[in-house]
Amino acid sequence: MNHRVSDLIIRIKNACLSKRREVILDDLKINKSICKVLIKEGFLESIEGVVRDEKKVLLAKIRYDKRVPVLNDVMVVSKPSLRVYATSDEIPEFQKRGRITLILSTNEGIMTGKDSMKKKIGGEVLFKIW
């Protein structure tokens, strides 16, 4: 596991594709903050820290709407080999369609593209989710 953000989001995506209600994630500070943003945006129901096999993990519950997962697809933008940064003026270019939610890592924490445009701050574009 080289890139923790990619691992987190691909685990959630694979759990949605296999129609699972819950997914087990690593208990990391960045994973908690990304999951809190995904809960606020309506892609996850809740997260909780549990101990499994004497190891701390996060148990995330995926949100469903009439037996269909709310999360349709995800695209990882920043990778370890190529980091992508955007200013607050460049964020609308990444959010071309209205239903795409952009997740950024800024100096004020993990937030969506809308929030970073309101606060007029940029950062590293982690992934797009819809």
Side-chain angles (χ1 to χ4, degrees):
M1 173 176 51
N2 288 337
H3 197 231
R4 298 181 189 279
V5 174
S6 298
D7 180 59
L8 164 85
I9 200 65
I10 296 302
R11 280 188 191 195
I12 294 173
K13 177 185 172 183
N14 289 340
C16 288
L17 291 174
S18 62
K19 306 285 190 210
R20 292 190 180 174
R21 294 279 179 194
E22 300 174 339
V23 61
I24 297 172
L25 307 167
D26 295 331
D27 190 11
L28 301 170
K29 186 177 177 183
I30 191 164
N31 287 357
K32 287 180 186 176
S33 58
I34 290 173
C35 286
K36 287 178 184 176
V37 170
L38 292 178
I39 289 170
K40 189 180 93 173
E41 291 298 311
F43 294 107
L44 295 178
E45 282 185 14
S46 65
I47 58 165
E48 63 178 284
V50 296
V51 177
R52 291 218 174 157
D53 299 329
E54 300 176 6
K55 185 178 175 185
K56 284 186 177 181
V57 294
L58 293 175
L59 187 65
K61 295 186 181 182
I62 299 169
R63 177 162 291 184
Y64 280 82
D65 184 31
K66 298 180 183 176
R67 297 186 183 177
V68 177
V70 175
L71 187 144
N72 291 324
D73 202 6
V74 68
M75 184 177 126
V76 178
V77 178
S78 279
K79 299 172 184 167
S81 61
L82 179 65
R83 304 286 184 178
V84 178
Y85 297 93
T87 63
S88 61
D89 298 331
E90 297 170 342
I91 291 173
E93 295 172 15
F94 284 98
Q95 291 179 309
K96 292 184 181 175
R97 287 181 262 154
R99 296 190 54 102
I100 292 178
T101 303
L102 196 66
I103 307 295
L104 288 102
S105 174
T106 65
N107 57 354
E108 294 186 13
I110 306 289
M111 62 180 65
T112 63
K114 290 182 221 171
D115 293 340
S116 65
M117 283 191 304
K118 285 179 187 174
K119 294 182 179 182
K120 301 250 188 231
I121 54 174
E124 181 182 356
V125 181
L126 297 176
F127 58 90
K128 298 177 185 180
I129 189 167
W130 63 93

mmCIF file of all heavy atoms in Angstrom, residues 67-108:
data_model
loop_
_atom_site.group_PDB
_atom_site.id
_atom_site.type_symbol
_atom_site.label_atom_id
_atom_site.label_comp_id
_atom_site.label_asym_id
_atom_site.label_seq_id
_atom_site.Cartn_x
_atom_site.Cartn_y
_atom_site.Cartn_z
ATOM 1 N N ARG A 67 -31.768 0.291 -2.309
ATOM 2 C CA ARG A 67 -30.895 -0.849 -2.621
ATOM 3 C C ARG A 67 -29.827 -0.556 -3.665
ATOM 4 O O ARG A 67 -29.234 -1.459 -4.221
ATOM 5 C CB ARG A 67 -31.703 -2.067 -3.042
ATOM 6 C CG ARG A 67 -32.603 -2.585 -1.966
ATOM 7 C CD ARG A 67 -33.242 -3.860 -2.397
ATOM 8 N NE ARG A 67 -34.160 -4.316 -1.374
ATOM 9 C CZ ARG A 67 -34.910 -5.375 -1.486
ATOM 10 N NH1 ARG A 67 -34.867 -6.087 -2.589
ATOM 11 N NH2 ARG A 67 -35.705 -5.723 -0.516
ATOM 12 N N VAL A 68 -29.604 0.701 -3.990
ATOM 13 C CA VAL A 68 -28.562 1.105 -4.932
ATOM 14 C C VAL A 68 -27.587 2.005 -4.171
ATOM 15 O O VAL A 68 -28.023 2.961 -3.521
ATOM 16 C CB VAL A 68 -29.164 1.869 -6.138
ATOM 17 C CG1 VAL A 68 -28.084 2.355 -7.072
ATOM 18 C CG2 VAL A 68 -30.162 0.997 -6.862
ATOM 19 N N PRO A 69 -26.291 1.729 -4.226
ATOM 20 C CA PRO A 69 -25.355 2.595 -3.507
ATOM 21 C C PRO A 69 -25.341 4.015 -4.076
ATOM 22 O O PRO A 69 -25.477 4.216 -5.283
ATOM 23 C CB PRO A 69 -23.999 1.912 -3.692
ATOM 24 C CG PRO A 69 -24.184 0.909 -4.753
ATOM 25 C CD PRO A 69 -25.630 0.622 -4.893
ATOM 26 N N VAL A 70 -25.222 4.993 -3.195
ATOM 27 C CA VAL A 70 -25.209 6.387 -3.610
ATOM 28 C C VAL A 70 -23.935 6.693 -4.399
ATOM 29 O O VAL A 70 -23.959 7.459 -5.356
ATOM 30 C CB VAL A 70 -25.331 7.309 -2.373
ATOM 31 C CG1 VAL A 70 -25.196 8.768 -2.751
ATOM 32 C CG2 VAL A 70 -26.663 7.068 -1.683
ATOM 33 N N LEU A 71 -22.823 6.070 -4.022
ATOM 34 C CA LEU A 71 -21.550 6.271 -4.708
ATOM 35 C C LEU A 71 -21.557 5.494 -6.016
ATOM 36 O O LEU A 71 -21.723 4.284 -6.022
ATOM 37 C CB LEU A 71 -20.401 5.788 -3.812
ATOM 38 C CG LEU A 71 -19.001 6.058 -4.288
ATOM 39 C CD1 LEU A 71 -18.127 6.355 -3.092
ATOM 40 C CD2 LEU A 71 -18.429 4.903 -5.043
ATOM 41 N N ASN A 72 -21.411 6.195 -7.134
ATOM 42 C CA ASN A 72 -21.391 5.542 -8.440
ATOM 43 C C ASN A 72 -19.988 5.209 -8.900
ATOM 44 O O ASN A 72 -19.715 4.093 -9.317
ATOM 45 C CB ASN A 72 -22.068 6.421 -9.494
ATOM 46 C CG ASN A 72 -23.544 6.533 -9.273
ATOM 47 O OD1 ASN A 72 -24.186 5.592 -8.851
ATOM 48 N ND2 ASN A 72 -24.081 7.705 -9.521
ATOM 49 N N ASP A 73 -19.099 6.181 -8.862
ATOM 50 C CA ASP A 73 -17.743 5.959 -9.333
ATOM 51 C C ASP A 73 -16.818 6.973 -8.683
ATOM 52 O O ASP A 73 -17.258 7.952 -8.091
ATOM 53 C CB ASP A 73 -17.671 6.079 -10.853
ATOM 54 C CG ASP A 73 -16.473 5.362 -11.445
ATOM 55 O OD1 ASP A 73 -15.754 4.676 -10.696
ATOM 56 O OD2 ASP A 73 -16.259 5.484 -12.660
ATOM 57 N N VAL A 74 -15.526 6.729 -8.815
ATOM 58 C CA VAL A 74 -14.516 7.588 -8.239
ATOM 59 C C VAL A 74 -13.317 7.624 -9.175
ATOM 60 O O VAL A 74 -13.068 6.665 -9.904
ATOM 61 C CB VAL A 74 -14.125 7.099 -6.829
ATOM 62 C CG1 VAL A 74 -13.406 5.789 -6.878
ATOM 63 C CG2 VAL A 74 -13.311 8.119 -6.105
ATOM 64 N N MET A 75 -12.609 8.765 -9.183
ATOM 65 C CA MET A 75 -11.408 8.882 -9.996
ATOM 66 C C MET A 75 -10.316 9.527 -9.154
ATOM 67 O O MET A 75 -10.477 10.656 -8.678
ATOM 68 C CB MET A 75 -11.672 9.742 -11.223
ATOM 69 C CG MET A 75 -10.503 9.842 -12.156
ATOM 70 S SD MET A 75 -10.942 10.810 -13.599
ATOM 71 C CE MET A 75 -9.652 12.021 -13.545
ATOM 72 N N VAL A 76 -9.236 8.798 -8.955
ATOM 73 C CA VAL A 76 -8.108 9.309 -8.179
ATOM 74 C C VAL A 76 -7.336 10.289 -9.065
ATOM 75 O O VAL A 76 -6.944 9.948 -10.177
ATOM 76 C CB VAL A 76 -7.208 8.158 -7.703
ATOM 77 C CG1 VAL A 76 -6.021 8.704 -6.942
ATOM 78 C CG2 VAL A 76 -7.993 7.176 -6.857
ATOM 79 N N VAL A 77 -7.140 11.509 -8.589
ATOM 80 C CA VAL A 77 -6.468 12.546 -9.370
ATOM 81 C C VAL A 77 -4.991 12.614 -8.999
ATOM 82 O O VAL A 77 -4.128 12.480 -9.850
ATOM 83 C CB VAL A 77 -7.158 13.916 -9.180
ATOM 84 C CG1 VAL A 77 -6.427 14.994 -9.946
ATOM 85 C CG2 VAL A 77 -8.605 13.836 -9.631
ATOM 86 N N SER A 78 -4.684 12.830 -7.725
ATOM 87 C CA SER A 78 -3.286 12.900 -7.285
ATOM 88 C C SER A 78 -2.781 11.513 -6.946
ATOM 89 O O SER A 78 -3.446 10.754 -6.247
ATOM 90 C CB SER A 78 -3.158 13.790 -6.050
ATOM 91 O OG SER A 78 -3.140 15.122 -6.406
ATOM 92 N N LYS A 79 -1.611 11.209 -7.440
ATOM 93 C CA LYS A 79 -0.970 9.922 -7.198
ATOM 94 C C LYS A 79 0.417 10.201 -6.636
ATOM 95 O O LYS A 79 0.914 11.324 -6.727
ATOM 96 C CB LYS A 79 -0.873 9.149 -8.505
ATOM 97 C CG LYS A 79 -2.231 8.871 -9.107
ATOM 98 C CD LYS A 79 -2.120 8.278 -10.471
ATOM 99 C CE LYS A 79 -3.520 8.124 -11.049
ATOM 100 N NZ LYS A 79 -3.539 7.857 -12.438
ATOM 101 N N PRO A 80 1.092 9.202 -6.083
ATOM 102 C CA PRO A 80 2.443 9.456 -5.566
ATOM 103 C C PRO A 80 3.419 9.915 -6.646
ATOM 104 O O PRO A 80 4.318 10.697 -6.373
ATOM 105 C CB PRO A 80 2.875 8.104 -5.006
ATOM 106 C CG PRO A 80 1.620 7.386 -4.726
ATOM 107 C CD PRO A 80 0.620 7.872 -5.732
ATOM 108 N N SER A 81 3.222 9.478 -7.874
ATOM 109 C CA SER A 81 4.137 9.867 -8.944
ATOM 110 C C SER A 81 3.797 11.236 -9.538
ATOM 111 O O SER A 81 4.650 11.874 -10.139
ATOM 112 C CB SER A 81 4.117 8.827 -10.056
ATOM 113 O OG SER A 81 2.819 8.724 -10.602
ATOM 114 N N LEU A 82 2.552 11.688 -9.372
ATOM 115 C CA LEU A 82 2.140 12.970 -9.928
ATOM 116 C C LEU A 82 1.107 13.618 -9.013
ATOM 117 O O LEU A 82 -0.058 13.205 -8.977
ATOM 118 C CB LEU A 82 1.537 12.790 -11.334
ATOM 119 C CG LEU A 82 1.049 14.061 -12.011
ATOM 120 C CD1 LEU A 82 2.219 14.989 -12.299
ATOM 121 C CD2 LEU A 82 0.316 13.730 -13.288
ATOM 122 N N ARG A 83 1.535 14.614 -8.279
ATOM 123 C CA ARG A 83 0.634 15.359 -7.403
ATOM 124 C C ARG A 83 -0.003 16.491 -8.210
ATOM 125 O O ARG A 83 0.670 17.163 -8.979
ATOM 126 C CB ARG A 83 1.392 15.955 -6.228
ATOM 127 C CG ARG A 83 2.163 14.948 -5.413
ATOM 128 C CD ARG A 83 1.259 14.132 -4.564
ATOM 129 N NE ARG A 83 2.071 13.238 -3.727
ATOM 130 C CZ ARG A 83 1.578 12.420 -2.853
ATOM 131 N NH1 ARG A 83 0.273 12.349 -2.678
ATOM 132 N NH2 ARG A 83 2.355 11.643 -2.152
ATOM 133 N N VAL A 84 -1.311 16.665 -8.023
ATOM 134 C CA VAL A 84 -2.048 17.700 -8.760
ATOM 135 C C VAL A 84 -2.563 18.722 -7.746
ATOM 136 O O VAL A 84 -3.256 18.361 -6.801
ATOM 137 C CB VAL A 84 -3.222 17.093 -9.553
ATOM 138 C CG1 VAL A 84 -4.003 18.172 -10.262
ATOM 139 C CG2 VAL A 84 -2.713 16.055 -10.528
ATOM 140 N N TYR A 85 -2.202 19.975 -7.959
ATOM 141 C CA TYR A 85 -2.620 21.068 -7.092
ATOM 142 C C TYR A 85 -3.504 22.031 -7.875
ATOM 143 O O TYR A 85 -3.364 22.174 -9.080
ATOM 144 C CB TYR A 85 -1.398 21.814 -6.545
ATOM 145 C CG TYR A 85 -0.522 20.942 -5.681
ATOM 146 C CD1 TYR A 85 0.565 20.262 -6.231
ATOM 147 C CD2 TYR A 85 -0.790 20.777 -4.338
ATOM 148 C CE1 TYR A 85 1.365 19.450 -5.453
ATOM 149 C CE2 TYR A 85 0.005 19.965 -3.545
ATOM 150 C CZ TYR A 85 1.085 19.308 -4.106
ATOM 151 O OH TYR A 85 1.861 18.498 -3.330
ATOM 152 N N ALA A 86 -4.417 22.677 -7.160
ATOM 153 C CA ALA A 86 -5.315 23.634 -7.805
ATOM 154 C C ALA A 86 -5.555 24.810 -6.871
ATOM 155 O O ALA A 86 -5.677 24.636 -5.657
ATOM 156 C CB ALA A 86 -6.643 22.971 -8.143
ATOM 157 N N THR A 87 -5.631 25.988 -7.455
ATOM 158 C CA THR A 87 -6.014 27.167 -6.694
ATOM 159 C C THR A 87 -7.540 27.228 -6.648
ATOM 160 O O THR A 87 -8.221 26.451 -7.316
ATOM 161 C CB THR A 87 -5.444 28.447 -7.348
ATOM 162 O OG1 THR A 87 -6.021 28.582 -8.650
ATOM 163 C CG2 THR A 87 -3.937 28.393 -7.452
ATOM 164 N N SER A 88 -8.050 28.173 -5.885
ATOM 165 C CA SER A 88 -9.509 28.272 -5.777
ATOM 166 C C SER A 88 -10.146 28.672 -7.111
ATOM 167 O O SER A 88 -11.306 28.361 -7.362
ATOM 168 C CB SER A 88 -9.894 29.281 -4.688
ATOM 169 O OG SER A 88 -9.400 30.558 -5.008
ATOM 170 N N ASP A 89 -9.394 29.344 -7.969
ATOM 171 C CA ASP A 89 -9.922 29.722 -9.287
ATOM 172 C C ASP A 89 -9.941 28.550 -10.265
ATOM 173 O O ASP A 89 -10.734 28.528 -11.202
ATOM 174 C CB ASP A 89 -9.081 30.845 -9.890
ATOM 175 C CG ASP A 89 -9.127 32.106 -9.042
ATOM 176 O OD1 ASP A 89 -10.159 32.315 -8.362
ATOM 177 O OD2 ASP A 89 -8.140 32.866 -9.055
ATOM 178 N N GLU A 90 -9.066 27.560 -10.084
ATOM 179 C CA GLU A 90 -8.983 26.410 -10.991
ATOM 180 C C GLU A 90 -9.932 25.280 -10.624
ATOM 181 O O GLU A 90 -10.105 24.353 -11.406
ATOM 182 C CB GLU A 90 -7.552 25.879 -11.012
ATOM 183 C CG GLU A 90 -6.535 26.867 -11.550
ATOM 184 C CD GLU A 90 -5.117 26.400 -11.330
ATOM 185 O OE1 GLU A 90 -4.902 25.511 -10.482
ATOM 186 O OE2 GLU A 90 -4.225 26.924 -12.014
ATOM 187 N N ILE A 91 -10.548 25.328 -9.470
ATOM 188 C CA ILE A 91 -11.417 24.230 -9.012
ATOM 189 C C ILE A 91 -12.620 24.025 -9.927
ATOM 190 O O ILE A 91 -12.971 22.884 -10.225
ATOM 191 C CB ILE A 91 -11.830 24.459 -7.548
ATOM 192 C CG1 ILE A 91 -10.596 24.293 -6.661
ATOM 193 C CG2 ILE A 91 -12.924 23.499 -7.120
ATOM 194 C CD1 ILE A 91 -10.800 24.649 -5.223
ATOM 195 N N PRO A 92 -13.298 25.064 -10.454
ATOM 196 C CA PRO A 92 -14.425 24.808 -11.362
ATOM 197 C C PRO A 92 -14.033 24.036 -12.615
ATOM 198 O O PRO A 92 -14.862 23.335 -13.195
ATOM 199 C CB PRO A 92 -14.935 26.207 -11.709
ATOM 200 C CG PRO A 92 -14.525 27.050 -10.578
ATOM 201 C CD PRO A 92 -13.226 26.490 -10.100
ATOM 202 N N GLU A 93 -12.771 24.106 -13.052
ATOM 203 C CA GLU A 93 -12.335 23.332 -14.210
ATOM 204 C C GLU A 93 -12.331 21.842 -13.906
ATOM 205 O O GLU A 93 -12.604 21.026 -14.783
ATOM 206 C CB GLU A 93 -10.933 23.782 -14.635
ATOM 207 C CG GLU A 93 -10.878 25.208 -15.121
ATOM 208 C CD GLU A 93 -9.458 25.679 -15.355
ATOM 209 O OE1 GLU A 93 -8.547 24.837 -15.416
ATOM 210 O OE2 GLU A 93 -9.267 26.900 -15.487
ATOM 211 N N PHE A 94 -12.021 21.475 -12.662
ATOM 212 C CA PHE A 94 -12.045 20.071 -12.278
ATOM 213 C C PHE A 94 -13.471 19.574 -12.094
ATOM 214 O O PHE A 94 -13.775 18.425 -12.348
ATOM 215 C CB PHE A 94 -11.264 19.858 -10.971
ATOM 216 C CG PHE A 94 -9.785 19.899 -11.148
ATOM 217 C CD1 PHE A 94 -9.067 21.046 -10.868
ATOM 218 C CD2 PHE A 94 -9.099 18.778 -11.591
ATOM 219 C CE1 PHE A 94 -7.699 21.090 -11.024
ATOM 220 C CE2 PHE A 94 -7.729 18.814 -11.752
ATOM 221 C CZ PHE A 94 -7.025 19.967 -11.465
ATOM 222 N N GLN A 95 -14.373 20.448 -11.648
ATOM 223 C CA GLN A 95 -15.771 20.089 -11.443
ATOM 224 C C GLN A 95 -16.584 20.489 -12.662
ATOM 225 O O GLN A 95 -17.435 21.371 -12.591
ATOM 226 C CB GLN A 95 -16.331 20.789 -10.202
ATOM 227 C CG GLN A 95 -15.757 20.292 -8.925
ATOM 228 C CD GLN A 95 -16.337 21.036 -7.742
ATOM 229 O OE1 GLN A 95 -16.353 22.254 -7.708
ATOM 230 N NE2 GLN A 95 -16.812 20.296 -6.774
ATOM 231 N N LYS A 96 -16.365 19.814 -13.779
ATOM 232 C CA LYS A 96 -17.041 20.204 -15.016
ATOM 233 C C LYS A 96 -18.527 19.895 -14.971
ATOM 234 O O LYS A 96 -19.350 20.684 -15.376
ATOM 235 C CB LYS A 96 -16.379 19.530 -16.208
ATOM 236 C CG LYS A 96 -14.986 20.059 -16.433
ATOM 237 C CD LYS A 96 -14.364 19.496 -17.644
ATOM 238 C CE LYS A 96 -12.963 20.078 -17.775
ATOM 239 N NZ LYS A 96 -12.216 19.527 -18.856
ATOM 240 N N ARG A 97 -18.871 18.736 -14.486
ATOM 241 C CA ARG A 97 -20.282 18.386 -14.377
ATOM 242 C C ARG A 97 -20.770 18.723 -12.972
ATOM 243 O O ARG A 97 -20.004 18.710 -12.024
ATOM 244 C CB ARG A 97 -20.473 16.902 -14.657
ATOM 245 C CG ARG A 97 -20.299 16.589 -16.144
ATOM 246 C CD ARG A 97 -20.521 15.137 -16.392
ATOM 247 N NE ARG A 97 -19.194 14.534 -16.446
ATOM 248 C CZ ARG A 97 -18.929 13.287 -16.167
ATOM 249 N NH1 ARG A 97 -19.874 12.478 -15.792
ATOM 250 N NH2 ARG A 97 -17.710 12.820 -16.226
ATOM 251 N N GLY A 98 -22.036 18.967 -12.839
ATOM 252 C CA GLY A 98 -22.585 19.399 -11.565
ATOM 253 C C GLY A 98 -22.590 18.348 -10.476
ATOM 254 O O GLY A 98 -22.544 18.668 -9.306
ATOM 255 N N ARG A 99 -22.641 17.079 -10.816
ATOM 256 C CA ARG A 99 -22.767 16.039 -9.812
ATOM 257 C C ARG A 99 -21.425 15.538 -9.284
ATOM 258 O O ARG A 99 -21.380 14.736 -8.389
ATOM 259 C CB ARG A 99 -23.567 14.877 -10.362
ATOM 260 C CG ARG A 99 -25.002 15.275 -10.697
ATOM 261 C CD ARG A 99 -25.842 14.075 -10.999
ATOM 262 N NE ARG A 99 -25.789 13.101 -9.952
ATOM 263 C CZ ARG A 99 -26.737 12.919 -9.036
ATOM 264 N NH1 ARG A 99 -27.793 13.675 -9.055
ATOM 265 N NH2 ARG A 99 -26.619 11.984 -8.130
ATOM 266 N N ILE A 100 -20.331 15.997 -9.848
ATOM 267 C CA ILE A 100 -19.014 15.564 -9.395
ATOM 268 C C ILE A 100 -18.631 16.358 -8.151
ATOM 269 O O ILE A 100 -18.725 17.569 -8.118
ATOM 270 C CB ILE A 100 -17.958 15.764 -10.500
ATOM 271 C CG1 ILE A 100 -18.218 14.801 -11.645
ATOM 272 C CG2 ILE A 100 -16.560 15.569 -9.956
ATOM 273 C CD1 ILE A 100 -17.258 14.944 -12.791
ATOM 274 N N THR A 101 -18.204 15.634 -7.123
ATOM 275 C CA THR A 101 -17.708 16.258 -5.909
ATOM 276 C C THR A 101 -16.195 16.103 -5.891
ATOM 277 O O THR A 101 -15.681 15.007 -6.063
ATOM 278 C CB THR A 101 -18.319 15.592 -4.668
ATOM 279 O OG1 THR A 101 -19.738 15.672 -4.764
ATOM 280 C CG2 THR A 101 -17.860 16.272 -3.409
ATOM 281 N N LEU A 102 -15.506 17.188 -5.684
ATOM 282 C CA LEU A 102 -14.052 17.202 -5.660
ATOM 283 C C LEU A 102 -13.602 17.239 -4.206
ATOM 284 O O LEU A 102 -14.114 18.028 -3.416
ATOM 285 C CB LEU A 102 -13.565 18.445 -6.402
ATOM 286 C CG LEU A 102 -12.129 18.503 -6.838
ATOM 287 C CD1 LEU A 102 -11.859 17.439 -7.891
ATOM 288 C CD2 LEU A 102 -11.816 19.867 -7.397
ATOM 289 N N ILE A 103 -12.661 16.372 -3.834
ATOM 290 C CA ILE A 103 -12.131 16.330 -2.478
ATOM 291 C C ILE A 103 -10.691 16.829 -2.514
ATOM 292 O O ILE A 103 -9.874 16.307 -3.275
ATOM 293 C CB ILE A 103 -12.201 14.915 -1.879
ATOM 294 C CG1 ILE A 103 -13.618 14.337 -1.975
ATOM 295 C CG2 ILE A 103 -11.697 14.905 -0.448
ATOM 296 C CD1 ILE A 103 -14.654 15.066 -1.174
ATOM 297 N N LEU A 104 -10.401 17.846 -1.701
ATOM 298 C CA LEU A 104 -9.077 18.466 -1.669
ATOM 299 C C LEU A 104 -8.462 18.368 -0.279
ATOM 300 O O LEU A 104 -9.173 18.324 0.725
ATOM 301 C CB LEU A 104 -9.174 19.950 -2.028
ATOM 302 C CG LEU A 104 -9.471 20.310 -3.461
ATOM 303 C CD1 LEU A 104 -10.909 20.700 -3.583
ATOM 304 C CD2 LEU A 104 -8.576 21.416 -3.884
ATOM 305 N N SER A 105 -7.135 18.360 -0.269
ATOM 306 C CA SER A 105 -6.381 18.470 0.971
ATOM 307 C C SER A 105 -5.785 19.869 1.006
ATOM 308 O O SER A 105 -4.925 20.204 0.195
ATOM 309 C CB SER A 105 -5.278 17.413 1.007
ATOM 310 O OG SER A 105 -4.466 17.605 2.139
ATOM 311 N N THR A 106 -6.272 20.688 1.920
ATOM 312 C CA THR A 106 -5.815 22.071 2.012
ATOM 313 C C THR A 106 -5.070 22.266 3.329
ATOM 314 O O THR A 106 -4.973 21.346 4.148
ATOM 315 C CB THR A 106 -7.010 23.043 1.953
ATOM 316 O OG1 THR A 106 -7.814 22.846 3.113
ATOM 317 C CG2 THR A 106 -7.842 22.822 0.717
ATOM 318 N N ASN A 107 -4.568 23.471 3.536
ATOM 319 C CA ASN A 107 -3.885 23.743 4.795
ATOM 320 C C ASN A 107 -4.863 23.880 5.955
ATOM 321 O O ASN A 107 -4.454 23.931 7.104
ATOM 322 C CB ASN A 107 -3.011 24.996 4.674
ATOM 323 C CG ASN A 107 -3.785 26.212 4.263
ATOM 324 O OD1 ASN A 107 -4.973 26.126 3.960
ATOM 325 N ND2 ASN A 107 -3.120 27.348 4.231
ATOM 326 N N GLU A 108 -6.154 23.927 5.673
ATOM 327 C CA GLU A 108 -7.182 23.948 6.711
ATOM 328 C C GLU A 108 -7.865 22.597 6.866
ATOM 329 O O GLU A 108 -8.883 22.493 7.516
ATOM 330 C CB GLU A 108 -8.215 25.030 6.401
ATOM 331 C CG GLU A 108 -7.636 26.420 6.481
ATOM 332 C CD GLU A 108 -8.677 27.504 6.318
ATOM 333 O OE1 GLU A 108 -9.890 27.190 6.380
ATOM 334 O OE2 GLU A 108 -8.284 28.653 6.117
#
